[in-house]
Coordinates of all heavy atoms in Angstrom, one line a residue:
F268 N -85.8 -12.8 -131.9 CA -84.6 -12.4 -132.5 C -83.9 -11.4 -131.6 O -82.8 -11.3 -131.5 CB -84.7 -11.9 -133.9 CG -83.5 -11.6 -134.6 CD1 -82.7 -12.6 -135.1 CD2 -83.2 -10.3 -135.0 CE1 -81.5 -12.3 -135.8 CE2 -82.0 -10.0 -135.6 CZ -81.1 -11.0 -136.1
K269 N -84.9 -10.4 -131.2 CA -84.3 -9.3 -130.4 C -83.7 -9.8 -129.1 O -82.6 -9.4 -128.6 CB -85.5 -8.4 -130.0 CG -85.1 -7.1 -129.1 CD -86.2 -6.3 -128.8 CE -85.9 -5.2 -128.0 NZ -86.9 -4.2 -127.5
A270 N -84.2 -10.8 -128.4 CA -83.7 -11.4 -127.2 C -82.4 -12.2 -127.5 O -81.5 -12.1 -126.7 CB -84.7 -12.4 -126.7
M271 N -82.3 -12.7 -128.6 CA -80.9 -13.5 -129.0 C -79.8 -12.4 -129.2 O -78.8 -12.5 -128.6 CB -81.1 -14.3 -130.3 CG -79.9 -14.9 -130.7 SD -79.9 -15.6 -132.4 CE -79.9 -14.1 -133.5
V272 N -80.2 -11.1 -129.9 CA -79.2 -10.2 -130.0 C -78.8 -9.5 -128.6 O -77.6 -9.4 -128.4 CB -79.8 -9.1 -131.0 CG1 -78.8 -7.9 -131.0 CG2 -80.0 -9.6 -132.4
E273 N -79.8 -9.3 -127.8 CA -79.5 -8.8 -126.5 C -78.7 -9.8 -125.7 O -77.6 -9.4 -124.9 CB -80.7 -8.5 -125.7 CG -81.5 -7.3 -126.2 CD -82.8 -7.1 -125.6 OE1 -83.2 -7.9 -124.7 OE2 -83.4 -6.0 -125.9
G274 N -78.9 -11.1 -125.8 CA -78.1 -12.1 -125.2 C -76.6 -12.1 -125.6 O -75.7 -12.3 -124.9
C275 N -76.4 -11.9 -127.0 CA -75.0 -11.8 -127.5 C -74.3 -10.8 -127.0 O -73.2 -10.9 -126.7 CB -75.2 -11.8 -129.1 SG -75.7 -13.4 -129.8
H276 N -75.1 -9.6 -127.0 CA -74.3 -8.3 -126.4 C -74.0 -8.5 -125.0 O -72.9 -8.1 -124.6 CB -75.3 -7.1 -126.6 CG -75.3 -6.6 -128.0 ND1 -74.4 -6.1 -128.7 CD2 -76.4 -6.6 -129.0 CE1 -74.7 -5.8 -129.9 NE2 -76.0 -6.2 -130.0
R277 N -74.9 -9.1 -124.2 CA -74.6 -9.4 -122.8 C -73.4 -10.3 -122.7 O -72.5 -10.1 -121.8 CB -75.8 -10.0 -122.1 CG -75.8 -9.7 -120.7 CD -77.3 -10.1 -120.1 NE -78.0 -11.1 -120.8 CZ -79.3 -11.0 -121.3 NH1 -79.8 -9.9 -121.2 NH2 -79.8 -12.0 -122.0
A278 N -73.4 -11.4 -123.5 CA -72.2 -12.3 -123.4 C -70.9 -11.6 -123.7 O -70.0 -11.9 -123.0 CB -72.4 -13.6 -124.5
I279 N -70.9 -10.8 -124.8 CA -69.7 -10.0 -125.1 C -69.1 -9.1 -124.0 O -68.0 -9.1 -123.6 CB -70.0 -9.4 -126.5 CG1 -70.1 -10.3 -127.6 CG2 -68.7 -8.3 -126.6 CD1 -70.5 -9.6 -128.9
K280 N -70.1 -8.4 -123.4 CA -69.7 -7.6 -122.3 C -69.3 -8.4 -121.1 O -68.3 -7.9 -120.3 CB -71.0 -6.8 -121.6 CG -71.3 -5.7 -122.6 CD -72.6 -4.8 -122.0 CE -72.8 -3.7 -122.9 NZ -74.0 -3.0 -122.3
M281 N -69.7 -9.6 -120.8 CA -69.3 -10.5 -119.8 C -67.9 -11.0 -120.1 O -67.1 -11.2 -119.0 CB -70.2 -11.7 -119.6 CG -71.5 -11.4 -119.0 SD -72.7 -12.7 -118.9 CE -71.9 -14.0 -118.2
L282 N -67.5 -11.1 -121.3 CA -66.1 -11.6 -121.6 C -65.1 -10.5 -121.2 O -63.9 -10.8 -120.9 CB -66.0 -11.8 -123.1 CG -66.6 -13.3 -123.5 CD1 -66.7 -13.3 -125.1 CD2 -66.1 -14.4 -122.8
G283 N -65.4 -9.2 -121.3 CA -64.5 -8.2 -120.9 C -63.4 -7.8 -122.1 O -63.6 -8.4 -123.1
D284 N -62.6 -7.0 -121.7 CA -61.6 -6.6 -122.7 C -60.4 -7.5 -122.7 O -60.0 -8.0 -121.5 CB -61.1 -5.2 -122.3 CG -62.1 -4.2 -122.6 OD1 -63.0 -4.4 -123.4 OD2 -62.2 -3.2 -121.9
I285 N -59.8 -7.9 -123.7 CA -58.6 -8.7 -123.8 C -57.4 -7.8 -123.7 O -57.2 -6.8 -124.4 CB -58.6 -9.6 -125.0 CG1 -59.8 -10.4 -125.1 CG2 -57.3 -10.3 -125.2 CD1 -60.0 -11.0 -126.5
D286 N -56.4 -8.2 -122.8 CA -55.2 -7.5 -122.5 C -54.0 -8.4 -122.8 O -53.8 -9.3 -122.0 CB -55.2 -6.8 -121.1 CG -54.0 -6.0 -121.1 OD1 -53.4 -5.6 -121.8 OD2 -53.7 -5.8 -119.8
Y287 N -53.2 -8.2 -123.8 CA -52.1 -9.0 -124.2 C -50.8 -8.5 -123.6 O -49.7 -9.0 -123.8 CB -51.9 -9.2 -125.7 CG -53.0 -9.9 -126.2 CD1 -54.0 -9.4 -127.0 CD2 -53.2 -11.4 -126.1 CE1 -55.1 -10.1 -127.6 CE2 -54.2 -12.0 -126.6 CZ -55.2 -11.4 -127.4 OH -56.2 -12.2 -127.9
T288 N -50.7 -7.5 -122.7 CA -49.5 -7.0 -122.2 C -49.0 -7.8 -121.1 O -49.9 -8.4 -120.3 CB -49.7 -5.5 -121.7 OG1 -50.7 -5.5 -120.7 CG2 -50.1 -4.5 -122.9
V289 N -47.7 -7.8 -120.8 CA -47.2 -8.6 -119.8 C -47.0 -7.8 -118.6 O -46.3 -6.7 -118.7 CB -45.9 -9.2 -120.3 CG1 -45.2 -10.1 -119.2 CG2 -46.1 -10.1 -121.5
S290 N -47.5 -8.2 -117.5 CA -47.5 -7.5 -116.2 C -46.0 -7.5 -115.7 O -45.3 -8.4 -116.0 CB -48.5 -7.8 -115.2 OG -48.1 -9.1 -114.8
D291 N -45.7 -6.5 -114.8 CA -44.3 -6.6 -114.1 C -44.2 -7.9 -113.3 O -43.2 -8.5 -113.4 CB -44.3 -5.5 -113.3 CG -44.1 -4.0 -114.1 OD1 -43.6 -4.2 -115.2 OD2 -44.2 -3.1 -113.4
K292 N -45.2 -8.3 -112.8 CA -45.2 -9.6 -111.9 C -44.9 -10.8 -112.9 O -44.1 -11.6 -112.6 CB -46.4 -9.8 -111.3 CG -46.6 -11.0 -110.3 CD -47.8 -11.1 -109.5 CE -47.8 -12.2 -108.7 NZ -49.2 -12.4 -108.0
D293 N -45.4 -10.9 -114.0 CA -45.3 -11.9 -115.0 C -43.9 -11.7 -115.6 O -43.2 -12.8 -115.9 CB -46.3 -12.0 -116.2 CG -47.7 -12.4 -115.6 OD1 -47.7 -13.0 -114.5 OD2 -48.6 -12.1 -116.2
Q294 N -43.3 -10.5 -115.8 CA -42.1 -10.3 -116.4 C -41.1 -10.9 -115.6 O -40.0 -11.4 -115.9 CB -41.9 -8.8 -116.6 CG -40.9 -8.4 -117.6 CD -41.2 -8.7 -119.1 OE1 -42.3 -8.8 -119.4 NE2 -40.1 -9.0 -119.9
L295 N -41.2 -10.7 -114.2 CA -40.2 -11.3 -113.2 C -40.1 -12.7 -113.3 O -39.1 -13.4 -113.0 CB -40.6 -10.9 -111.8 CG -40.4 -9.3 -111.5 CD1 -41.0 -9.0 -110.1 CD2 -39.0 -8.9 -111.7
R296 N -41.2 -13.5 -113.7 CA -41.1 -15.0 -113.8 C -40.6 -15.5 -115.0 O -40.1 -16.6 -115.2 CB -42.6 -15.5 -113.8 CG -43.2 -15.5 -112.3 CD -44.5 -16.2 -112.2 NE -45.3 -15.2 -111.7 CZ -46.7 -15.1 -111.9 NH1 -47.1 -16.0 -112.8 NH2 -47.4 -14.3 -111.4
K297 N -40.7 -14.6 -116.1 CA -40.1 -15.1 -117.4 C -38.6 -15.2 -117.3 O -38.0 -14.5 -116.5 CB -40.6 -14.2 -118.5 CG -42.0 -14.2 -118.9 CD -42.5 -13.2 -119.8 CE -41.8 -13.6 -121.2 NZ -42.2 -12.7 -122.2
R298 N -37.9 -15.8 -118.3 CA -36.4 -15.8 -118.3 C -36.0 -15.1 -119.7 O -36.8 -14.9 -120.6 CB -36.0 -17.3 -118.5 CG -36.2 -18.2 -117.2 CD -35.7 -19.6 -117.5 NE -36.1 -20.3 -116.3 CZ -35.4 -20.5 -115.2 NH1 -34.1 -20.0 -115.2 NH2 -35.7 -21.2 -114.2
S299 N -34.7 -14.7 -119.6 CA -34.2 -14.0 -120.8 C -32.8 -14.2 -120.9 O -32.1 -14.8 -120.0 CB -34.5 -12.6 -120.9 OG -34.0 -11.9 -119.8
I300 N -32.2 -13.9 -121.9 CA -30.6 -14.0 -122.1 C -29.9 -12.8 -121.5 O -30.2 -11.6 -121.7 CB -30.2 -14.1 -123.5 CG1 -31.0 -15.2 -124.3 CG2 -28.7 -14.2 -123.6 CD1 -30.8 -15.3 -125.8
W301 N -29.0 -12.9 -120.5 CA -28.2 -12.0 -119.8 C -26.9 -12.2 -120.0 O -26.3 -13.2 -120.3 CB -28.5 -12.1 -118.3 CG -29.8 -11.8 -117.8 CD1 -31.0 -12.5 -118.2 CD2 -30.2 -10.5 -117.4 NE1 -32.1 -11.6 -117.6 CE2 -31.6 -10.4 -117.1 CE3 -29.5 -9.3 -117.0 CZ2 -32.3 -9.3 -116.7 CZ3 -30.2 -8.2 -116.4 CH2 -31.5 -8.3 -116.2
I302 N -26.0 -11.0 -120.0 CA -24.6 -11.0 -120.2 C -24.0 -11.3 -118.8 O -24.2 -10.6 -117.9 CB -24.1 -9.7 -120.6 CG1 -24.8 -9.5 -122.0 CG2 -22.7 -9.5 -120.8 CD1 -24.8 -8.0 -122.5
T303 N -23.0 -12.3 -118.6 CA -22.5 -12.7 -117.5 C -20.9 -12.3 -117.3 O -20.5 -12.6 -116.3 CB -22.7 -14.3 -117.3 OG1 -22.0 -14.9 -118.5 CG2 -24.1 -14.7 -117.2
K304 N -20.5 -11.8 -118.4 CA -19.1 -11.3 -118.4 C -19.0 -10.2 -119.3 O -19.7 -10.1 -120.3 CB -18.0 -12.4 -118.9 CG -17.8 -13.5 -118.0 CD -16.8 -14.5 -118.6 CE -16.7 -15.7 -117.6 NZ -15.7 -16.7 -118.2
D305 N -18.1 -9.1 -119.0 CA -18.0 -8.0 -119.8 C -17.6 -8.5 -121.3 O -16.7 -9.4 -121.4 CB -16.9 -7.0 -119.3 CG -17.4 -6.3 -117.9 OD1 -18.5 -6.3 -117.8 OD2 -16.5 -5.7 -117.3
I306 N -18.2 -7.8 -122.2 CA -17.9 -8.2 -123.6 C -17.5 -6.9 -124.4 O -18.2 -5.9 -124.3 CB -19.2 -8.8 -124.3 CG1 -19.7 -10.1 -123.5 CG2 -19.0 -9.1 -125.8 CD1 -21.1 -10.6 -124.1
A307 N -16.4 -7.0 -125.1 CA -15.8 -5.9 -125.9 C -16.6 -5.8 -127.2 O -17.0 -6.7 -127.7 CB -14.3 -6.0 -126.0
K308 N -16.5 -4.7 -127.8 CA -17.1 -4.5 -129.1 C -16.3 -5.4 -130.1 O -15.1 -5.5 -130.0 CB -16.8 -3.0 -129.6 CG -17.4 -2.7 -131.0 CD -17.2 -1.3 -131.4 CE -17.7 -1.0 -132.7 NZ -17.6 0.4 -133.0
G309 N -17.1 -6.2 -130.9 CA -16.5 -7.2 -131.8 C -16.4 -8.4 -131.3 O -16.0 -9.4 -132.0
E310 N -16.4 -8.7 -130.0 CA -16.2 -9.9 -129.3 C -17.3 -10.8 -129.6 O -18.5 -10.5 -129.8 CB -16.1 -9.8 -127.9 CG -15.6 -11.0 -127.1 CD -15.3 -10.8 -125.6 OE1 -15.2 -9.7 -125.2 OE2 -15.5 -11.8 -124.9
T311 N -17.1 -12.2 -129.7 CA -18.2 -13.1 -130.0 C -18.9 -13.6 -128.9 O -18.3 -13.8 -127.8 CB -17.5 -14.5 -130.7 OG1 -16.7 -14.1 -131.9 CG2 -18.5 -15.5 -131.1
F312 N -20.2 -13.7 -129.0 CA -21.0 -14.2 -128.0 C -20.8 -15.8 -127.8 O -20.8 -16.5 -128.9 CB -22.5 -14.0 -128.2 CG -23.0 -12.5 -128.2 CD1 -23.3 -11.9 -129.4 CD2 -22.8 -11.8 -127.0 CE1 -23.5 -10.5 -129.3 CE2 -23.1 -10.4 -127.0 CZ -23.5 -9.8 -128.2
S313 N -20.8 -16.2 -126.5 CA -20.6 -17.6 -126.3 C -21.4 -18.1 -125.1 O -21.9 -17.3 -124.4 CB -19.0 -17.8 -126.0 OG -18.5 -17.3 -125.0
K314 N -21.2 -19.3 -124.7 CA -21.8 -19.9 -123.6 C -21.1 -19.3 -122.3 O -21.7 -19.5 -121.2 CB -21.8 -21.4 -123.6 CG -22.8 -22.0 -124.6 CD -22.9 -23.5 -124.5 CE -23.8 -24.0 -125.6 NZ -24.0 -25.5 -125.6
E315 N -19.9 -18.9 -122.4 CA -19.2 -18.4 -121.4 C -19.6 -16.9 -120.9 O -19.4 -16.6 -119.7 CB -17.7 -18.4 -121.6 CG -17.1 -19.9 -121.6 CD -17.5 -20.6 -122.7 OE1 -17.4 -20.1 -124.0 OE2 -17.7 -21.8 -122.7
N316 N -20.0 -16.2 -121.9 CA -20.4 -14.8 -121.4 C -21.9 -14.6 -121.6 O -22.4 -13.4 -121.3 CB -19.7 -13.8 -122.4 CG -19.8 -13.9 -123.9 OD1 -20.8 -14.6 -124.4 ND2 -18.9 -13.5 -124.8
L317 N -22.7 -15.5 -121.8 CA -24.2 -15.4 -121.8 C -24.8 -16.5 -121.0 O -24.4 -17.6 -121.0 CB -24.8 -15.4 -123.4 CG -24.2 -14.5 -124.2 CD1 -24.9 -14.7 -125.6 CD2 -24.7 -13.1 -123.8
K318 N -26.0 -16.3 -120.4 CA -26.7 -17.1 -119.7 C -28.3 -16.9 -119.7 O -28.5 -15.7 -120.0 CB -26.2 -17.3 -118.2 CG -24.9 -17.7 -117.9 CD -25.0 -18.7 -116.8 CE -23.5 -19.1 -116.4 NZ -22.8 -19.9 -117.3
I319 N -29.0 -17.9 -119.6 CA -30.5 -17.7 -119.5 C -30.9 -17.6 -118.0 O -30.7 -18.5 -117.2 CB -31.2 -18.8 -120.2 CG1 -30.9 -18.8 -121.6 CG2 -32.7 -18.8 -120.0 CD1 -31.2 -20.1 -122.4
L320 N -31.3 -16.3 -117.6 CA -31.7 -16.0 -116.3 C -33.1 -15.3 -116.1 O -33.6 -15.0 -117.2 CB -30.7 -15.2 -115.7 CG -29.2 -15.8 -115.7 CD1 -28.1 -14.6 -115.2 CD2 -29.1 -16.9 -114.8
R321 N -33.6 -15.2 -114.9 CA -34.7 -14.3 -114.6 C -34.1 -13.0 -114.3 O -33.2 -12.9 -113.7 CB -35.5 -15.0 -113.6 CG -36.3 -16.2 -113.9 CD -37.3 -16.6 -112.9 NE -38.0 -17.7 -113.2 CZ -38.1 -18.9 -112.7 NH1 -37.3 -19.2 -111.6 NH2 -38.7 -19.9 -113.3
P322 N -35.0 -12.0 -114.4 CA -36.2 -11.8 -114.9 C -36.2 -11.7 -116.5 O -35.0 -11.6 -117.0 CB -36.8 -10.4 -114.4 CG -35.5 -9.6 -114.1 CD -34.4 -10.7 -113.7
G323 N -37.3 -11.6 -117.2 CA -37.4 -11.5 -118.6 C -37.3 -10.2 -119.3 O -38.1 -9.8 -120.0
Y324 N -36.3 -9.4 -119.0 CA -36.0 -8.2 -119.6 C -35.3 -8.1 -120.9 O -35.1 -7.1 -121.5 CB -35.5 -7.1 -118.6 CG -36.4 -7.0 -117.4 CD1 -36.0 -7.1 -116.2 CD2 -37.7 -6.6 -117.6 CE1 -36.9 -7.0 -115.0 CE2 -38.6 -6.3 -116.5 CZ -38.1 -6.6 -115.2 OH -38.9 -6.4 -114.2
G325 N -34.8 -9.2 -121.3 CA -33.8 -9.3 -122.5 C -34.5 -10.2 -123.6 O -35.6 -10.4 -123.5
M326 N -33.6 -10.7 -124.5 CA -34.1 -11.5 -125.5 C -34.6 -12.9 -124.9 O -34.0 -13.4 -123.9 CB -32.9 -11.8 -126.6 CG -32.5 -10.6 -127.4 SD -31.1 -11.0 -128.6 CE -32.0 -12.1 -129.6
E327 N -35.6 -13.4 -125.8 CA -36.1 -14.8 -125.3 C -35.1 -15.8 -125.3 O -34.3 -15.9 -126.3 CB -37.3 -14.9 -126.2 CG -38.5 -14.0 -125.9 CD -39.8 -14.5 -126.6 OE1 -40.0 -15.7 -126.8 OE2 -40.5 -13.5 -127.2
P328 N -35.2 -16.8 -124.4 CA -34.3 -17.9 -124.5 C -34.4 -18.6 -125.7 O -33.3 -19.4 -126.0 CB -34.7 -18.7 -123.3 CG -35.5 -17.9 -122.4 CD -36.2 -16.9 -123.3
K329 N -35.4 -18.7 -126.5 CA -35.3 -19.5 -127.8 C -34.4 -18.9 -128.8 O -34.0 -19.7 -129.7 CB -36.8 -19.4 -128.3 CG -37.2 -18.1 -128.9 CD -38.7 -18.2 -129.3 CE -39.2 -16.9 -129.9 NZ -40.6 -17.2 -130.4
F330 N -33.8 -17.7 -128.6 CA -32.8 -17.2 -129.5 C -31.3 -17.4 -129.1 O -30.5 -17.0 -129.7 CB -33.0 -15.7 -129.8 CG -34.4 -15.4 -130.3 CD1 -35.4 -14.7 -129.6 CD2 -34.7 -15.7 -131.6 CE1 -36.6 -14.4 -130.2 CE2 -35.9 -15.4 -132.1 CZ -36.8 -14.8 -131.5
F331 N -31.1 -18.2 -128.0 CA -29.8 -18.3 -127.5 C -28.9 -19.0 -128.4 O -27.8 -18.6 -128.6 CB -29.8 -19.3 -126.1 CG -28.6 -19.3 -125.5 CD1 -28.3 -18.3 -124.6 CD2 -27.8 -20.5 -125.4 CE1 -27.1 -18.4 -123.9 CE2 -26.7 -20.6 -124.7 CZ -26.2 -19.4 -123.9
D332 N -29.3 -20.0 -129.1 CA -28.5 -20.7 -130.1 C -28.2 -19.9 -131.3 O -27.2 -20.0 -131.9 CB -29.0 -22.1 -130.6 CG -28.9 -23.0 -129.3 OD1 -28.0 -23.0 -128.5 OD2 -29.7 -24.1 -129.2
V333 N -29.1 -19.0 -131.7 CA -29.0 -18.2 -132.8 C -28.0 -17.1 -132.4 O -27.1 -16.7 -133.4 CB -30.3 -17.5 -133.1 CG1 -30.2 -16.5 -134.2 CG2 -31.3 -18.5 -133.5
V334 N -27.9 -16.6 -131.1 CA -26.9 -15.5 -130.8 C -25.6 -16.0 -130.8 O -24.7 -15.4 -131.0 CB -27.5 -14.9 -129.5 CG1 -26.4 -14.0 -129.0 CG2 -28.7 -14.2 -129.6
L335 N -25.4 -17.2 -130.3 CA -24.0 -17.8 -130.3 C -23.2 -17.7 -131.5 O -23.7 -18.1 -132.5 CB -24.1 -19.4 -129.8 CG -24.6 -19.5 -128.4 CD1 -24.6 -21.1 -128.0 CD2 -23.9 -18.8 -127.2
G336 N -22.1 -17.1 -131.4 CA -21.1 -16.9 -132.5 C -21.3 -15.6 -133.3 O -20.5 -15.2 -134.1
K337 N -22.3 -14.9 -132.9 CA -22.6 -13.6 -133.5 C -21.5 -12.6 -132.6 O -21.1 -12.9 -131.7 CB -23.9 -13.0 -133.2 CG -24.9 -14.0 -134.0 CD -25.3 -13.6 -135.3 CE -26.3 -14.6 -135.8 NZ -26.9 -14.3 -136.9
K338 N -21.4 -11.4 -133.1 CA -20.5 -10.4 -132.5 C -21.3 -9.2 -132.0 O -22.3 -8.9 -132.4 CB -19.5 -9.9 -133.6 CG -18.5 -11.1 -134.1 CD -17.4 -10.5 -134.9 CE -16.7 -11.7 -135.6 NZ -15.6 -12.0 -134.7
A339 N -20.6 -8.6 -130.9 CA -21.3 -7.5 -130.3 C -21.0 -6.2 -130.9 O -19.9 -5.9 -131.4 CB -20.6 -7.3 -128.8
K340 N -22.0 -5.4 -131.2 CA -22.0 -4.1 -131.7 C -21.2 -3.0 -131.0 O -20.7 -2.1 -131.4 CB -23.3 -3.5 -132.1 CG -23.9 -3.9 -133.4 CD -25.2 -3.2 -133.6 CE -25.8 -3.6 -134.9 NZ -27.1 -3.0 -135.1
K341 N -21.2 -3.3 -129.7 CA -20.6 -2.2 -128.7 C -20.1 -3.0 -127.4 O -20.4 -4.2 -127.3 CB -21.7 -1.1 -128.4 CG -22.8 -1.6 -127.6 CD -23.8 -0.4 -127.2 CE -24.7 -0.9 -126.0 NZ -25.3 0.1 -125.5
D342 N -19.4 -2.2 -126.6 CA -19.1 -2.8 -125.3 C -20.3 -3.1 -124.4 O -21.1 -2.1 -124.4 CB -18.0 -1.8 -124.7 CG -16.7 -1.7 -125.4 OD1 -16.4 -2.6 -126.1 OD2 -16.0 -0.6 -125.1
L343 N -20.3 -4.3 -123.8 CA -21.5 -4.6 -123.0 C -20.9 -5.0 -121.7 O -19.8 -5.6 -121.5 CB -22.3 -5.7 -123.7 CG -22.7 -5.5 -125.0 CD1 -23.2 -6.8 -125.6 CD2 -23.8 -4.6 -125.0
L344 N -21.7 -4.6 -120.6 CA -21.3 -5.0 -119.2 C -22.0 -6.2 -118.6 O -23.2 -6.4 -119.0 CB -21.6 -3.6 -118.4 CG -20.8 -2.3 -118.8 CD1 -21.3 -1.2 -117.9 CD2 -19.3 -2.6 -118.7
K345 N -21.3 -6.8 -117.8 CA -22.0 -7.9 -116.9 C -23.2 -7.4 -116.4 O -23.2 -6.3 -115.7 CB -20.8 -8.3 -116.0 CG -21.3 -9.5 -115.2 CD -20.2 -9.8 -114.1 CE -20.9 -11.0 -113.2 NZ -19.9 -11.2 -112.2
G346 N -24.1 -8.2 -116.4 CA -25.4 -7.9 -115.6 C -26.5 -7.2 -116.5 O -27.5 -6.9 -115.9
E347 N -26.1 -7.0 -117.7 CA -27.1 -6.3 -118.7 C -27.9 -7.4 -119.3 O -27.5 -8.5 -119.8 CB -26.4 -5.5 -119.8 CG -25.9 -4.3 -119.4 CD -25.3 -3.5 -120.7 OE1 -26.1 -2.9 -121.4 OE2 -24.1 -3.6 -120.9
P348 N -29.3 -7.2 -119.5 CA -30.0 -8.1 -120.4 C -29.6 -8.0 -121.9 O -29.3 -6.7 -122.4 CB -31.5 -7.7 -120.2 CG -31.4 -6.3 -119.7 CD -30.1 -6.1 -119.1
L349 N -29.5 -9.1 -122.5 CA -29.1 -8.9 -124.1 C -30.2 -8.5 -124.8 O -31.4 -9.0 -124.8 CB -28.7 -10.3 -124.6 CG -28.2 -10.3 -126.0 CD1 -26.8 -9.4 -126.1 CD2 -27.9 -11.7 -126.4
K350 N -30.1 -7.4 -125.8 CA -31.1 -6.9 -126.6 C -30.6 -7.1 -128.1 O -29.5 -7.1 -128.3 CB -31.3 -5.3 -126.4 CG -31.5 -5.0 -124.9 CD -32.9 -5.0 -124.5 CE -33.1 -4.6 -123.1 NZ -34.4 -4.4 -122.8
T351 N -31.5 -7.2 -128.9 CA -31.3 -7.4 -130.4 C -30.4 -6.4 -131.0 O -29.6 -6.6 -131.8 CB -32.6 -7.4 -131.2 OG1 -33.3 -6.3 -131.0 CG2 -33.4 -8.7 -130.8
E352 N -30.5 -5.1 -130.5 CA -29.7 -3.9 -131.0 C -28.2 -4.1 -130.6 O -27.3 -3.3 -131.0 CB -30.2 -2.6 -130.6 CG -30.3 -2.3 -129.1 CD -31.7 -2.6 -128.7 OE1 -32.6 -3.3 -129.3 OE2 -32.1 -2.2 -127.5
F353 N -27.9 -5.1 -129.7 CA -26.5 -5.3 -129.3 C -25.7 -6.1 -130.3 O -24.5 -6.4 -130.1 CB -26.3 -5.8 -128.0 CG -26.9 -4.9 -126.8 CD1 -27.4 -5.5 -125.6 CD2 -27.2 -3.6 -127.1 CE1 -27.8 -4.6 -124.5 CE2 -27.7 -2.8 -126.1 CZ -28.0 -3.3 -124.9
I354 N -26.4 -6.9 -131.2 CA -25.9 -7.9 -132.0 C -25.7 -7.4 -133.5 O -26.4 -6.8 -134.0 CB -26.9 -9.1 -131.9 CG1 -27.1 -9.6 -130.6 CG2 -26.2 -10.3 -132.9 CD1 -28.3 -10.6 -130.5
C355 N -24.4 -7.7 -133.9 CA -24.1 -7.5 -135.3 C -24.8 -8.4 -136.4 O -24.9 -9.5 -136.1 CB -22.6 -7.5 -135.6 SG -21.7 -6.2 -134.9

């Protein structure tokens, strides 16, 4: 029984620590929603002023259709990643 317990402890140590953070290198490979034209406060998000591009610093692409038709909380500049706090 002692050998089995030691074997289990050894196996757990061999697995190492689990890290769920996304590295900068992986972040560059991911895609996100980006603002492609200046958007005024209250203006509606559309396919003309948003695009899915790399790197992945903004909202995930799966929310693209959800964002379309919503309004901007503040003035947004071209080249910014879209964040949830920008949406009314």
Side-chain angles (χ1 to χ4, degrees):
F268 186 72
K269 181 180 178 183
M271 181 187 73
V272 171
E273 288 173 356
C275 289
H276 287 293
R277 206 174 22 243
I279 290 170
K280 283 183 182 180
M281 288 172 53
L282 291 174
D284 295 326
I285 299 172
D286 183 17
Y287 291 108
T288 59
V289 179
S290 70
D291 288 337
K292 185 177 178 182
D293 290 336
Q294 198 72 25
L295 292 173
R296 284 188 234 151
K297 291 177 68 178
R298 294 179 186 267
S299 64
I300 303 172
W301 286 78
I302 299 163
T303 56
K304 292 183 181 177
D305 290 345
I306 301 172
K308 180 180 179 179
E310 190 177 336
T311 304
F312 294 111
S313 67
K314 289 183 179 182
E315 286 75 39
N316 56 23
L317 297 177
K318 293 227 185 290
I319 298 172
L320 303 168
R321 286 189 178 115
Y324 296 122
M326 287 182 69
E327 292 183 39
K329 67 182 179 182
F330 298 113
F331 189 78
D332 291 332
V333 175
V334 171
L335 295 178
K337 306 265 181 174
K338 297 189 185 269
K340 272 189 183 176
K341 64 176 196 163
D342 292 338
L343 302 170
L344 299 175
K345 175 183 176 179
E347 284 186 78
L349 185 65
K350 308 275 183 175
T351 53
E352 57 265 16
F353 298 162
I354 303 168
C355 286

